[in-house]
Amino acid sequence: AHHFDNGGSGRYVCDFAVGPELSPRSNVIVLPHLGASTDEAEENAAAMAADTTALYLQTGTIRDSVNFPTTTLPARLDTVQRVCVVNENRPGMLGEILSVFGNAGINIVQQINTSKGDVGYNVIDIERLSTFDDVHFKSWDALQFLLTSLDGVKSTRYIYGTPASAKHAGYAVNFKGQVYGIGSVGGGPTLPSFGELLDEA
């Protein structure tokens, strides 16, 4: 408006709402913002959401998230097990998480740590063991229980198998200090719905 009020020439074209100081002018053209409402845009958005979800489930990669950090991972070998850990973003958390593997005698093949605001996200590839004879825990569930029990850890999950047919196991959450979702550790509880968890809050 200042530009035109002071003798400025030209036209102003936009695709969003403008105030009364611009809308009545003959050299201002306001178009409706329709780009995201076309059939093509809606199909592309749906495909992107499906691809993003599949990528997260198969690899642990996070992209285009509002509340999680973007995390792009190197390829995972078929011989390793991937562990995804969501935790509070605070000093010392990464050290505590990695010490669980070190204390258990497990070699970390590769690892990435990212954060966004209060959320930390770790993806850790560890050697997949055929027996538990040379490590200091008796099952994958026992290791996951230790990880998920750490103060500040929100959830953990395993990914293993070939990347094309990745399998998911052991999704667990830490809710108010109680671990849910690991069914075979001491007959522990299975994961209730998040609605049931929130009802307890």
Side-chain angles (χ1 to χ4, degrees), residues 117-191:
D118 295 336
V119 177
Y121 182 59
N122 295 278
V123 182
I124 304 159
D125 285 354
I126 58 177
E127 291 178 346
R128 186 152 175 81
L129 308 172
S130 54
T131 71
F132 299 97
D133 296 339
D134 298 324
V135 294
H136 306 296
F137 63 97
K138 299 300 178 193
S139 69
W140 290 116
D141 283 353
L143 176 69
Q144 188 176 24
F145 184 81
L146 288 174
L147 271 175
T148 314
S149 297
L150 289 175
D151 181 42
V153 168
K154 300 298 183 186
S155 69
T156 59
R157 127 182 122 95
Y158 289 143
I159 304 171
Y160 63 95
T162 64
S165 62
K167 296 175 178 60
H168 317 282
Y171 180 80
V173 297
N174 183 332
F175 186 75
K176 293 186 174 183
Q178 176 67 49
V179 175
Y180 295 87
I182 303 175
S184 59
V185 177
T190 57
L191 181 66

Side-chain angles (χ1 to χ4, degrees), residues 16-170:
F16 54 86
V18 295
E21 69 279 359
L22 285 177
S23 58
R25 297 173 188 263
S26 61
N27 56 349
V28 173
I29 301 170
V30 180
L31 303 170
H33 184 74
L34 297 176
S37 299
T38 64
D39 288 343
E40 181 182 5
E42 288 181 2
E43 287 177 15
N44 289 340
M48 184 185 79
D51 291 345
T52 300
T53 301
L55 190 64
Y56 170 72
L57 291 174
Q58 293 169 352
T59 70
T61 295
I62 296 177
R63 67 180 183 198
D64 303 321
S65 174
V66 174
N67 54 359
F68 269 67
T70 297
T71 309
T72 303
L73 305 163
R76 176 180 58 84
L77 299 173
D78 298 351
T79 56
V80 304
Q81 178 155 312
R82 181 160 280 177
V83 183
C84 303
V85 182
V86 178
N87 57 273
E88 295 175 1
N89 182 26
R90 59 178 170 81
M93 278 304 316
L94 181 59
E96 290 180 43
I97 292 166
L98 296 181
S99 69
V100 170
F101 298 102
N103 293 339
I106 295 177
N107 184 44
I108 295 175
V109 178
Q110 63 181 352
Q111 176 266 333
I112 187 169
N113 168 261
T114 57
S115 62
K116 184 173 189 176
D118 295 336
V119 177
Y121 182 59
N122 295 278
V123 182
I124 304 159
D125 285 354
I126 58 177
E127 291 178 346
R128 186 152 175 81
L129 308 172
S130 54
T131 71
F132 299 97
D133 296 339
D134 298 324
V135 294
H136 306 296
F137 63 97
K138 299 300 178 193
S139 69
W140 290 116
D141 283 353
L143 176 69
Q144 188 176 24
F145 184 81
L146 288 174
L147 271 175
T148 314
S149 297
L150 289 175
D151 181 42
V153 168
K154 300 298 183 186
S155 69
T156 59
R157 127 182 122 95
Y158 289 143
I159 304 171
Y160 63 95
T162 64
S165 62
K167 296 175 178 60
H168 317 282

